[in-house]
């Protein structure tokens, strides 16, 4: 495997797509052993747990009974949903390596069968059916065409009247905030994605078939863009 500085020079010489095609898939490296998996999932928890309390409030999920958190990791958003909405059950859909860590979250919070885990790969497997599907820091890892494919899968999975939640950093129209611009540089190097404006996420939702799109800003760095299936 390349070291990161060698990857950088190869990117400049040959282009990112050609170099990435020869590397292991990013999550094969991130989940290479239990310690690395735990370190990544703990970092995601730290990044997402605080803001999730506000995001679940903004999402107004009182009419939702089932939610699938796609790429939900060890359950930071799922826990916030379960705590605020007693009528709701959440399934985290994520790569199989994540399962034992979600089990720990279920046991620590005594959520029982209100918190499920479906192992899968969203490039291979259909998404589980639910009233609502959420994607936190997922679309920013991928290019537009992949995002639309994932959103079409969510459209199929949520059925008529269902909805989708996108939770991401948002660029302002003037290119700020600075922290998002700085993060965006590493997104370009480390992933196939980028951060986007609310209008860009709305356009992706519409291309996948969703309508009635709304944007809800939190007081944190992660915000909510919501689409509905009519
Ligand atoms: C950047 S993390 C986001 C975690 C969490 N949603 C959050 O907002 O903190 C990306 C998540 O997507 C999952 N993931 C990556 N590729 C996947 C795939 N092909 N199928 C299912 N999940 C995947 C990872 O395991 C990880 O949990």
């Amino acid at each position: 495997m390349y070291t990161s500085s060698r990857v950088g020079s190869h990117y400049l010489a040959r282009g990112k797509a050609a170099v990435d095609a020869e590397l292991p898939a990013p999550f094969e490296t991130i989940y290479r052993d239990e310690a690395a998996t735990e370190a990544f999932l703990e970092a995601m928890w730290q990044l997402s747990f605080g803001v999730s309390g506000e995001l679940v409030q903004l999402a107004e999920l009182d009419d939702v009974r089932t939610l699938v958190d796609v790429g939900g990791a060890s359950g930071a958003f799922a826990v916030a949903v379960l705590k605020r909405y007693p009528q709701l059950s959440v399934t985290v859909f994520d790569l199989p390596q994540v399962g034992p860590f979600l089990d720990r979250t279920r046991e620590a919070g005594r959520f029982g069968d209100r918190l499920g885990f479906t192992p899968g790969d969203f490039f291979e497997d259909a998404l589980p059916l639910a009233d609502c599907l959420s994607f936190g820091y997922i679309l920013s890892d991928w290019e537009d065409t992949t995002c639309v494919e994932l959103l079409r899968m969510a459209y199929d999975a949520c059925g008529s009247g269902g909805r989708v939640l996108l939770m991401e950093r948002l660029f302002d129209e003037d290119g700020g905030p600075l922290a998002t611009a700085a993060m965006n540089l590493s997104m370009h190097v480390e992933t196939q994605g980028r951060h986007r404006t609310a209008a860009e996420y709305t356009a992706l939702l519409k291309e996948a078939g969703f309508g009635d799109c709304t944007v809800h800003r939190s007081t944190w760095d992660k915000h909510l863009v919501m689409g509905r299936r009519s």
Side-chain angles (χ1 to χ4, degrees), residues 11-94:
Y11 279 167
L12 291 174
R14 298 173 49 216
K16 185 171 187 301
V19 176
D20 283 352
E22 295 166 8
L23 295 173
F27 281 93
E28 277 177 40
T29 308
I30 291 169
Y31 295 156
R32 62 191 172 279
D33 58 38
E34 197 183 329
T37 305
E38 182 164 23
F40 175 80
L41 293 174
E42 175 60 23
M44 290 316 305
W45 184 282
Q46 294 303 331
L47 205 60
S48 292
F49 185 66
V51 65
S52 290
E54 207 173 307
L55 293 171
V56 295
Q57 204 172 334
L58 292 168
E60 297 183 1
L61 301 172
D62 302 277
D63 59 337
V64 173
R65 293 287 174 275
T66 51
L67 182 145
V68 168
D69 194 23
V70 181
S74 53
F77 181 68
V79 166
V81 171
L82 292 170
K83 286 194 166 161
R84 186 171 177 91
Y85 298 100
Q87 86 286 0
L88 244 158
S89 301
V90 179
T91 299
V92 168
F93 175 90
D94 208 310

